[in-house]
Amino acid sequence: MTVYIDPPTWPGHGRLWSHLISDVPYAELHAFAARLGVPRRAFERDHYDLPAHRYADAVAAGAVEVRSREVVRLLHASGLRRRKRRDQQGSA
């Protein structure tokens, strides 16, 4: 199993965030996140949102640094990509 992380460039809630993903089924990703002490509520559809201050912890634990575009490519290639449902995207 390989766990990947992109740079913390995604803004939200006054912070920058990274995406933590895996190229194998989610059980392995959940186990990796649990070892880091990342709460399960940080899992969103197909990835964990990780605040910038935890980036180095994930890399030290073995996450492979990749560009954000690579995260999307890896999720698609593994068949693990889950898009937001229309009703979760909000409506105007």
Side-chain angles (χ1 to χ4, degrees), residues 2-5 19-23 29 46-48 66 70-72 74-75:
T2 303
V3 172
Y4 302 91
I5 191 166
H19 298 113
L20 188 68
I21 68 153
S22 176
D23 57 359
L29 178 60
D46 54 14
H47 66 277
Y48 277 88
V66 296
E70 187 69 2
V71 164
V72 174
L74 288 162
L75 285 171

Side-chain angles (χ1 to χ4, degrees), residues 38-44 48-49:
V38 178
R40 184 68 182 258
R41 70 180 178 274
F43 184 72
E44 185 180 337
Y48 277 88
D49 290 322

Side-chain angles (χ1 to χ4, degrees), residues 18-36:
S18 292
H19 298 113
L20 188 68
I21 68 153
S22 176
D23 57 359
V24 297
Y26 301 117
E28 306 269 350
L29 178 60
H30 294 316
F32 185 91
R35 286 192 300 276
L36 283 176

Side-chain angles (χ1 to χ4, degrees), residues 1 6 12 51 54 58 78 82:
M1 170 200 71
D6 65 356
R54 297 298 314 274
S78 67
R82 291 186 181 166

